[in-house]
Amino acid sequence: MATEELETRRPTEEKESTGRHMTKGKVRRARVDDLEAIIDINDNVYDGIDYMPAKFEQFLTDERFAIYVFEMENGKLASLINFEIHSEVGDLVGISSLRVRPSLQGQGFGRPEANPVTDQFRRENPKITRYLLQTLLTPKIQAKLDQGKIGRVLYRWNFLLYKLPENHRFLRNPDIGANPTTAERRPVRLSPTQGTEWLDRSDQLTTFLSQFADEFIVAGDKFAAVQLSRTQLKRLFTISTHVFASFECPLESNPTTGANVPLAGDEIALDGRREIFGFSCSGGHPCKYGMRINVHYFGNDEDDLLRHVLSHWLKFADVIASDVRVALWLNFPLAIAHGSVENRLRSKVGERCQDGGWSAEQFVQYISDFGTLIA
């Protein structure tokens, strides 16, 4: 383990603090027995589809993460921040989750620079000078971007969130609105072994993804930030439930019908000789609503995006009971029109979710110095 990471993982001393608000308490590292308190804070975060309750214990044991909490004098938790440690970039930490007890919102806990948890983390880790944050592109954040008050933007992307009721099996219909082409670009599922071997042989995937984001992309069900390097992209294949890539897929004649059909996926060699058109990864986890599935797509082709969505959905549909409600969260580049995708999916999944703070249509990921955290 790198020195920087050892220092970052150092146990936290419980420190009395009044922060920059009136609530008194202490900052400490989260413990396993904090789970019920964490669920209490996160009960309605993200309108019932938050990942934190399902992933809390995993975060505690994963050396890439460090959860700090602010415990009030009455023993209840006021706030938590989950820091994602990027040891490959020694001065950088990701703020992957920031949660505040609803009754204490508006007291400064929701602003990293005013939260005593951040103060404590920075005191214990003086080498960490920058943070990486991804957030909804609200009017306030957009104004900060326009004014140049946010650091370097790495990636902006569209998202669509759908809450599907029970009996969602209708999505098994293979016609999800993607128009056929003369040279079908069909998604091919990649195993972690295949992905690792591909990255060992070629820079093709790294080069392709670099068209859409600078330095980091977002992947998996926890929206993990993965650095755009061949070594770090191998992690993407281990944290994702399913990974698909689409290539130029030559057609062959079906001897029975005479129709041209794409070659089988296992005949596509990942040797860099075929052009890649799209790449996607997904992850799923239980949540208060039922089940949340995140699909992250990278590419410029709307039809290809819809084929990838269907490919991921069919994999999850095989293991999700029909009476479980599903929140389907789609993420895709700005080059693909948000409204067009929404219109084409409407007949299959209905209207996108806009209540509960979801009226925004984009996310943004950026890196900034701690001294310029959003006020």
Side-chain angles (χ1 to χ4, degrees), residues 105-371:
Q105 291 176 4
Q107 296 191 27
F109 285 106
R111 302 197 309 273
E113 81 286 1
N115 194 314
V117 168
T118 305
D119 292 340
Q120 181 72 7
F121 179 85
R122 294 180 63 187
R123 279 193 293 270
E124 294 182 0
N125 301 278
K127 292 185 178 182
I128 301 294
T129 60
R130 301 182 301 154
Y131 71 96
L132 182 151
L133 183 68
Q134 50 214 23
T135 184
L136 282 168
L137 189 58
T138 62
K140 178 180 179 180
I141 299 296
Q142 183 63 62
K144 295 291 185 180
L145 283 173
D146 295 340
Q147 297 165 13
K149 294 183 178 180
I150 282 180
R152 181 165 58 94
V153 174
L154 306 182
Y155 182 33
R156 283 176 60 172
W157 69 96
N158 289 318
F159 81 95
L160 286 164
L161 174 63
Y162 295 94
K163 286 190 171 182
L164 311 181
E166 298 88 344
N167 302 319
H168 42 67
R169 295 287 179 167
F170 65 89
L171 275 177
R172 282 184 171 276
N173 184 345
D175 175 19
I176 198 171
N179 299 323
T181 61
T182 55
E184 188 97 24
R185 301 165 185 173
R186 64 183 304 175
V188 179
R189 185 170 183 267
L190 304 177
S191 68
T193 299
Q194 289 171 318
T196 297
E197 292 176 351
W198 186 19
L199 289 165
D200 283 338
R201 290 196 305 267
S202 169
D203 283 322
Q204 186 183 23
L205 180 58
T206 307
T207 301
F208 176 78
L209 293 175
S210 296
Q211 301 176 63
F212 308 99
D214 180 14
E215 193 172 351
F216 287 86
I217 62 168
V218 181
D221 59 345
K222 300 187 294 292
F223 277 61
V226 180
Q227 191 178 32
L228 283 172
S229 69
R230 288 166 68 175
T231 300
Q232 294 301 318
L233 281 175
K234 291 178 181 179
R235 176 172 168 252
L236 179 150
F237 286 89
T238 62
I239 66 175
S240 300
T241 307
H242 304 292
V243 177
F244 287 87
S246 47
F247 302 85
E248 183 71 60
C249 186
L251 305 182
E252 65 178 2
S253 177
N254 185 309
T256 302
T257 65
N260 287 332
V261 296
L263 290 172
D266 57 9
E267 296 182 39
I268 296 179
L270 300 178
D271 56 8
R273 292 182 295 177
R274 302 187 190 278
E275 184 178 357
I276 180 173
F277 285 99
F279 182 84
S280 64
C281 58
S282 65
H285 61 79
C287 61
K288 183 178 179 181
Y289 182 75
M291 183 78 178
R292 168 174 150 181
I293 299 172
N294 296 335
V295 178
H296 304 272
Y297 172 81
F298 302 89
N300 295 317
D301 189 298
E302 187 176 297
D303 286 342
D304 190 51
L305 162 66
L306 295 175
R307 292 191 186 94
H308 278 252
V309 172
L310 176 64
S311 299
H312 286 280
W313 170 253
L314 291 179
K315 289 295 183 181
F316 281 104
D318 285 338
V319 296
I320 300 176
S322 60
D323 61 348
V324 174
R325 298 182 302 177
V326 174
L328 184 61
W329 189 327
L330 311 180
N331 305 277
F332 53 96
L334 299 182
I336 299 177
H338 183 281
S340 179
V341 176
E342 184 179 353
N343 288 337
R344 293 176 69 174
L345 286 174
R346 184 171 288 114
S347 64
K348 294 293 181 182
V349 295
E351 298 293 339
R352 72 180 179 97
C353 183
Q354 297 191 57
D355 56 358
W358 296 111
S359 58
E361 297 180 352
Q362 294 181 18
F363 259 78
V364 62
Q365 178 194 66
Y366 61 89
I367 287 178
S368 191
D369 295 332
F370 269 115

Side-chain angles (χ1 to χ4, degrees), residues 27-30 38 41-42 51-52 56 59-60 65-70 77-85 93-100 108-122 131-133 370 373:
V27 176
R28 61 173 174 80
R29 286 289 291 271
I38 297 296
I41 291 178
N42 286 267
Y51 60 74
M52 179 58 76
F56 173 66
F59 285 136
L60 290 182
F65 296 92
I67 301 180
Y68 286 58
V69 300
F70 185 91
L77 300 187
S79 175
L80 70 89
I81 296 181
N82 186 22
F83 296 98
E84 183 175 4
I85 312 303
V93 67
I95 299 178
S96 66
S97 307
L98 195 162
R99 305 289 185 262
V100 180
F109 285 106
R111 302 197 309 273
E113 81 286 1
N115 194 314
V117 168
T118 305
D119 292 340
Q120 181 72 7
F121 179 85
R122 294 180 63 187
Y131 71 96
L132 182 151
L133 183 68
F370 269 115
L373 282 163

